[in-house]
Amino acid sequence: MIRRATPLDRSWLVDLGARAFAVLGDYRDILPAWLAQDNVTAWVDELAGQRRGFTVVGFFHGDEGENVADLLAIAVEPAWQSRGLGRTLLDHAVAMASATAQAGRLRELRLSVADDNVIGQRLYRTSGFHRVTGEFGAYPGGQRAVRMIYPLFRTP
Ligand SMILES: CC(C)(COP(=O)(O)OP(=O)(O)OC[C@H]1O[C@@H](n2cnc3c(N)ncnc32)[C@H](O)[C@@H]1OP(=O)(O)O)[C@@H](O)C(=O)NCCC(=O)NCCS
């Protein structure tokens, strides 16, 4: 079951994120800073009281003043990976952003992924995201950031 994260999930979420993204940088500071923002929401997948994975989505104004949703983080506990949970969590994030798109003219759900994260990029591509050309900076670990987007709403 996927549910909204509560403050009680925070230490588990930060711990999993820090482990999952260790090659990119130190997420023990980055994740709490995101979670403290009112425009950032997190969801947790839980089965029989066991937390298995999460997504973190922020809602921001883009460079051109447009409304965008940003999938800031997605991770699945290693013991539960490669069983379809990552795709289920991603589908849920897309559905949540799409529901917001209906109401708020949100243009896209975007994300950044490391250029060497083949598994992540394959997951996103096969879930309907496409890669955007351009320069999107680098992670503290040195990996180039790849930008991918899922279009939600097109103004006429
Ligand atoms: C990326 C991540 C969330 C995927 O979660 P998951 O539950 O393992 O993924 P799923 O089982 O739903 O598989 C989804 C797709 O990911 C890819 N994938 C998953 N495990 C894979 C593996 N061992 N080898 C290759 N591709 C794999 C496949 O494309 C798969 O789709 P398919 O089964 O239709 O081929 C998970 O691996 C993770 O937490 N990784 C560490 C954190 C991370 O990299 N997050 C993304 C950074 S932006």
Side-chain angles (χ1 to χ4, degrees):
M1 181 194 74
I2 298 176
R3 58 167 176 77
R4 279 285 288 271
T6 76
L8 294 176
D9 297 309
R10 194 155 291 202
S11 61
W12 164 81
L13 195 155
V14 172
D15 180 66
L16 171 55
R19 284 183 276 124
F21 308 127
V23 292
L24 301 177
D26 187 357
Y27 277 71
R28 288 194 187 279
D29 292 331
I30 295 171
L31 278 162
W34 281 337
L35 295 171
Q37 297 177 38
D38 290 340
N39 55 329
V40 173
T41 55
W43 285 271
V44 172
D45 176 276
E46 184 177 82
L47 180 70
Q50 192 176 3
R51 300 176 181 100
R52 303 188 296 178
F54 70 77
T55 54
V56 179
V57 179
F59 295 89
F60 302 105
H61 293 299
D63 298 336
E64 297 157 20
E66 76 281 20
N67 296 327
V68 296
D70 198 329
L71 180 69
L72 296 168
I74 177 170
V76 171
E77 285 284 4
W80 290 98
Q81 289 180 6
S82 302
R83 302 182 191 202
L85 276 183
R87 194 179 301 284
T88 301
L89 280 159
L90 183 61
D91 288 348
H92 178 267
V94 169
M96 293 298 104
S98 298
T100 307
Q102 305 301 325
R105 297 173 82 81
L106 198 61
R107 191 164 85 177
E108 65 196 28
L109 176 61
R110 66 169 59 157
L111 59 82
S112 297
V113 56
D115 57 357
D116 61 356
N117 189 342
V118 176
I119 290 179
Q121 287 181 42
R122 183 171 148 73
L123 164 63
Y124 301 136
R125 196 171 54 249
T126 54
S127 288
F129 286 75
H130 64 264
R131 184 172 175 165
V132 178
T133 54
E135 180 54 48
F136 300 101
Y139 292 89
Q143 304 86 347
R144 304 306 305 174
V146 168
R147 167 76 50 86
M148 298 182 79
I149 67 165
Y150 186 106
L152 295 171
F153 188 90
R154 288 275 169 248
T155 46

